[in-house]
Amino acid sequence: MSDFNIEELRNVVLQYKLPIAFDILNSTDPGDQGEPYLIQVDDIPALIKTKRIYDFRWKDGFDMAEFSKTDEDRSGILSHSVIQIWFDEQMFNSDKIDKKIISIIPDQFIDLSIEYLNKFINIYRRVSDQFWIRNIVKKDIFSYQYILIDNNDNQQPIFKMATKGGVYFNGGKEFQLESNKDNLIRNKLLENYYGFKDEMIALMLDNFHLGRFNLALIQGATLFENFIYTELKKTLSNTKLDKIKKKEDCGCLVGISEICKRGIKEYFEFDFGATQEWRDIQKYMLRPRNKIVHGEILKNINRDECEKGLIAVKKGEKLLKTEVFK
């Protein structure tokens, strides 16, 4: 380790464990049968190497033979993986990296490694039909090794925790929900309860935090339409509801834009279509949503674009609850 020379840096390697198993041969160690996967993001290549660890995590009176597998192993019950992402000078010399701090601050490589790994996961999931394997986020990585390798194969390993601020200690007490939330759960369990909106919100937030911003935006738009139609149904008679939802000449359903601009003004005497909230919903939510579902946007939108759409909807709903659906 003392012979390592940062001036002759050849590779930066991120290595960590994940509760995911891929049906590919090991490639992390010399002599492994598998071949690493070469991946490019923005024309900058990296290598991904994997090692499958067969470890039955829940041994409750019986065990499983090594090399066992179960369908839809979403939590790495029977096996998990060691992942390595190898970067070289093409990454070091790019504008994505601050070369001055490569040896002391490894954090800049974590997000990059996740970006490359998620590209691999997305393609692997589609090709293999293993749809249950999801994207990873930083919180999936508890700790990692950051390994610097020079041209003479000398190494400088650094061990880091990735979950900064994500581990909580409770002073020797068990964790428990607040009493009001616990009571709410108990009450809901006795009802014929199906919370479509609650479920959709959870899915939207999950996709947002997994970086699936197109899906999160589409779900946000669906939630907004659900909110509008649900509130209209509570407020208007069936006759008025049909008039606001359908075109008079053909009985076809009108779009959400016409309801928000014409229908709400006509039946509630509030010009929602003239508000900044509606303009933001159109600009940040509905227009990109339409481009996604119509195939005009083929790449994943970025986090900021998605967040603007979700915020616009939240503000629009708040205004409508205050001025219209009181």
Side-chain angles (χ1 to χ4, degrees), residues 65-84:
E66 192 177 15
F67 308 120
S68 297
K69 166 183 174 176
T70 184
D71 289 336
E72 300 185 32
D73 193 350
R74 299 170 185 269
S75 305
I77 296 173
L78 296 185
S79 56
H80 60 278
S81 296
V82 173
I83 307 292
Q84 291 182 352

Side-chain angles (χ1 to χ4, degrees), residues 48-65:
I48 287 190
K49 303 181 181 182
T50 65
K51 181 178 182 179
R52 190 167 185 164
I53 309 296
Y54 290 90
D55 179 24
F56 184 30
R57 294 169 61 187
W58 287 281
K59 300 176 181 179
D60 188 13
F62 60 91
D63 208 339
M64 299 292 290

Side-chain angles (χ1 to χ4, degrees), residues 82-105:
V82 173
I83 307 292
Q84 291 182 352
I85 297 90
W86 289 62
F87 299 108
D88 61 16
E89 69 276 357
Q90 294 177 80
M91 180 62 76
F92 311 155
N93 295 328
S94 73
D95 58 5
K96 296 187 176 187
I97 294 299
D98 185 346
K99 295 178 70 173
K100 297 178 183 178
I101 58 174
I102 281 180
S103 62
I104 56 174
I105 302 180

Side-chain angles (χ1 to χ4, degrees), residues 121-136:
I121 287 174
N122 288 334
I123 293 172
Y124 174 86
R125 180 173 60 223
R126 291 196 294 267
V127 173
S128 68
D129 295 325
Q130 296 181 32
F131 56 85
W132 58 89
I133 296 177
R134 66 165 177 82
N135 291 19
I136 68 162

Side-chain angles (χ1 to χ4, degrees), residues 2 4 78-79 112 131 141 158 164 198 227 274 283 292 304:
S2 59
F4 171 78
L78 296 185
S79 56
L112 286 171
F131 56 85
I141 304 168
I158 301 171
K164 291 182 179 178
D198 295 339
F227 163 75
K283 180 178 180 180
I292 291 169
D304 288 343

